[in-house]
């Protein structure tokens, strides 16, 4: 097949996207596909015409465009199939506040939250008990996120987000262990436990992408009841958001066994240290086989 590999883009996660694209390109070559690399930051105006001549598009974009559904909408207009969620579901999942409303409506626990916009201003009252996380409402890789421990730190944390994004999500800090759960097709993959090696309170950008940034244990050493509960909640969230093909959700599990879903990623990372490929490997998928399965699922859902 003629496959367009779409990566790069213009978000703050551009470098992560390009890093993952190198390994994806190698897998596509190994699968025997004719690959055209496409960076929307360089040639966006030609995406529609290029997509019309392709058999499939493999999207490896993070943030906007890509996770916001823009690229998927253009590909739909070109009748070019691709892996993962469509435009509406992508946008819903990327918007953390909107996704949390969906979680809550479907009985999935998520930390208490508050949405703050620039129209409310940096002096808006904090509605949650400290400490809290302040993060961009649309974005990933923990970029722009702050752990706010005092009221005096809150305005600066909002400013940091507003420099990147038009709205800030304020989220209650819940102590516990971080667990991630991937979905592939209609199956929940084994959980991975994430523990930052440097003693950080959360899985920040450096911990995510440095080779020795965090200890990632798969399958996670948690009891079967908690594992089953998280996997079921992730399947529910995946369906409720309208996602297809694959996704990955981040959870916090407390000492008393409660699990809280933080967010769902519709284009999980595909770097050498990425989580979904590690979980897929545990159930028998090589990286190349995983790419092939994502293509199969994408074609199945759109042809």
């Amino acid at each position: 097949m003629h496959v367009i590999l779409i990566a790069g883009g213009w978000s703050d996660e551009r470098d992560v996207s390009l890093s993952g694209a190198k390994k994806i390109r190698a897998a596509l070559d190994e699968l025997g596909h004719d690959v055209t690399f496409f960076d929307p930051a360089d040639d966006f105006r030609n995406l529609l015409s290029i997509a019309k001549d392709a058999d499939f598009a493999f999207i490896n974009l993070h943030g906007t465009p890509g996770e916001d559904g823009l690229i998927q909408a253009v590909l739909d207009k070109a009748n070019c199939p691709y892996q993962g969620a469509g435009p509406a579901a992508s946008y819903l999942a990327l918007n953390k506040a909107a996704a949390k409303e969906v979680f809550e409506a479907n009985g999935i626990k998520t930390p208490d939250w508050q949405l703050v916009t620039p129209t409310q201003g940096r002096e808006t009252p904090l509605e949650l008990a400290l400490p809290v996380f302040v993060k961009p409402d649309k974005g990933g890789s923990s970029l722009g996120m702050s752990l706010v421990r005092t009221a005096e730190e809150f305005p600066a944390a909002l400013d940091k987000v507003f420099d990147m994004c038009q709205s800030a999500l304020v989220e209650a800090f819940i102590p516990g262990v971080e667990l991630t759960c991937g979905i592939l097709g209609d199956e929940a993959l084994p959980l991975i436990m994430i523990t930052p090696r440097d003693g950080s309170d959360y899985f920040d950008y450096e911990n995510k992408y440095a080779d020795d940034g965090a200890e990632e244990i798969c399958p996670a050493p948690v009891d079967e009841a908690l594992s089953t509960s998280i996997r079921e909640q992730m399947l529910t969230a995946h369906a409720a958001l309208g996602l297809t093909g694959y996704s990955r959700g981040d959870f916090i599990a407390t000492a008393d066994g409660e699990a809280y879903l933080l967010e769902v990623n519709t284009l999980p990372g595909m770097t050498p240290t990425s989580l979904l490929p590690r979980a897929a490997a545990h159930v028998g998928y090589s990286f190349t086989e995983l790419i092939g399965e994502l293509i199969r699922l994408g074609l199945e859902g759109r042809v």
Side-chain angles (χ1 to χ4, degrees):
M1 288 194 306
H2 177 205
V3 177
I4 314 169
L5 173 56
I6 304 177
W10 50 79
S11 82
D12 292 324
E13 298 170 82
R14 173 180 172 82
D15 289 345
V16 177
S17 168
L18 292 172
S19 174
K22 295 176 183 177
K23 192 167 186 180
I24 295 168
R25 175 65 184 263
L28 292 170
D29 288 341
E30 186 177 342
L31 290 166
H33 297 300
D34 177 19
V35 182
T36 297
F37 179 79
F38 182 86
D39 185 345
D42 296 333
D43 198 21
F44 182 77
R45 69 178 301 161
N46 290 313
L47 175 58
L48 185 61
S49 60
I50 291 172
K52 286 180 178 179
D53 293 329
D55 300 305
F56 193 86
F58 199 99
I59 307 168
N60 193 59
L61 294 165
H62 306 302
T64 58
E67 285 183 295
D68 65 350
L70 174 60
I71 296 295
Q72 292 86 341
V74 176
L75 294 174
D76 282 348
K77 290 297 182 183
N79 293 317
C80 179
Y82 49 89
Q83 97 283 8
S90 296
Y91 190 79
L92 184 60
L94 181 65
N95 188 301
K96 295 180 177 66
K100 281 174 171 288
E101 290 199 60
V102 173
F103 301 158
E104 291 169 341
N106 285 271
I108 301 170
K109 289 185 177 180
T110 189
D112 287 342
W113 57 279
Q114 173 187 357
L115 184 68
V116 182
T117 66
T119 57
Q120 295 169 289
R122 68 194 300 272
E123 303 303 326
T124 188
L126 178 60
E127 298 174 359
L128 307 177
L130 292 165
V132 297
F133 285 110
V134 179
K135 62 181 77 171
D137 187 43
K138 290 181 287 186
S141 294
S142 301
L143 290 167
M145 184 161 72
S146 303
L147 178 57
V148 172
R149 299 182 183 278
T150 68
E152 291 74 21
E153 297 171 346
F154 187 50
L158 290 176
D159 287 342
K160 183 178 179 180
V161 171
F162 293 152
D163 285 342
M164 302 173 59
C165 180
Q166 292 181 330
S167 53
L169 183 79
V170 185
E171 185 177 69
F173 171 78
I174 295 179
V177 296
E178 184 161 351
L179 301 166
T180 189
C181 179
I183 300 293
L184 183 61
D186 57 3
E187 298 292 332
L189 296 171
L191 304 187
I192 298 177
M193 178 181 286
I194 304 162
T195 305
R197 294 186 190 276
D198 63 1
S200 299
D201 291 306
Y202 61 94
F203 194 37
D204 60 11
Y205 183 90
E206 185 63 27
N207 279 302
K208 279 182 168 70
Y209 299 113
D211 289 338
D212 60 349
E215 182 180 15
E216 298 164 354
I217 306 171
C218 183
V222 299
D223 66 62
E224 188 61 31
L226 178 60
S227 176
T228 298
S229 173
I230 288 177
R231 293 170 76 200
E232 289 176 348
Q233 289 181 66
M234 187 57 205
L235 285 167
T236 298
H238 181 87
L241 290 168
L243 307 183
T244 56
Y246 72 144
S247 65
R248 199 199 74 239
D250 297 327
F251 291 79
I252 291 293
T254 63
D256 59 2
E258 294 290 341
Y260 294 81
L261 178 55
L262 303 177
E263 61 186 73
V264 172
N265 190 324
T266 59
L267 290 174
M270 290 288 175
T271 70
T273 58
S274 294
L275 298 165
L276 189 135
R278 291 191 181 195
H282 188 78
V283 296
Y285 286 91
S286 69
F287 186 82
T288 297
E289 289 169 339
L290 174 60
I291 298 301
E293 177 65 4
L294 291 175
I295 291 173
R296 186 191 71 79
L297 290 167
L299 289 170
E300 181 180 80
R302 293 186 172 87
V303 173

